[in-house]
Amino acid sequence: MAAAEQLRISQIGLVARSPEGHAAKGMAIKGREDLWVEIQANTFRNWVNEHLRTVGTEVRDLATDFCDGTRLCALVEVLQKRPLRPSWIQRPANQHQYLENVATALSAIAADGVKLVNI
């Protein structure tokens, strides 16, 4: 890739690629890195919805539907096949409770030995 072409790649495209820089190598996305991000977001959303279907909920918008932590906690419970401890707030009323739910989910993930980086 020429130096001039590399400068044209947007920041969002760089974030969407693997550390090795070849995650989208087979796709013709040059100049359309937002398409790669959209494909990844749709794939993740579909995966999440496949798991959340068992508890009767779904995610339509990743940014808004995960903001209160309830769907994140539900997803972690489904993946771990056990309730979270401490239990999470199913109807959070304010930002503090949103953050408490997210912290509960992340703590459960970390307790399973998953290394959380840049969270």
Side-chain angles (χ1 to χ4, degrees):
M1 180 181 294
E5 289 178 10
Q6 193 170 12
L7 290 175
R8 288 189 343 205
I9 296 175
S10 68
Q11 181 63 28
I12 199 164
L14 292 174
V15 171
R17 294 172 188 243
S18 69
E20 295 81 21
H22 59 73
K25 192 173 188 177
M27 295 180 65
I29 63 163
K30 190 180 293 182
R32 298 177 56 206
E33 289 81 11
D34 57 329
L35 175 64
W36 174 250
V37 172
E38 184 179 340
I39 290 169
Q40 293 299 305
N42 286 337
T43 302
F44 178 68
R45 190 184 70 243
N46 290 338
W47 177 82
V48 167
N49 284 333
E50 189 67 29
H51 291 287
L52 289 180
R53 186 172 301 146
T54 62
V55 292
T57 189
E58 72 176 356
V59 171
R60 291 189 180 151
D61 184 325
L62 293 171
T64 59
D65 291 344
F66 279 124
C67 74
D68 66 359
T70 55
R71 288 184 180 94
L72 180 61
C73 287
L75 177 64
V76 171
E77 283 186 342
V78 168
L79 294 174
Q80 292 183 338
K81 297 181 174 127
R82 65 177 187 268
L84 294 179
R85 297 287 179 234
S87 63
W88 50 283
I89 303 163
Q90 297 204 8
R91 291 188 200 152
N94 57 49
Q95 187 177 11
H96 298 288
Q97 292 176 336
Y98 298 172
L99 292 174
E100 189 176 332
N101 278 347
V102 172
T104 299
L106 294 177
S107 295
I109 293 168
D112 278 354
V114 176
K115 185 177 178 182
L116 301 174
V117 180
N118 293 331
I119 300 287

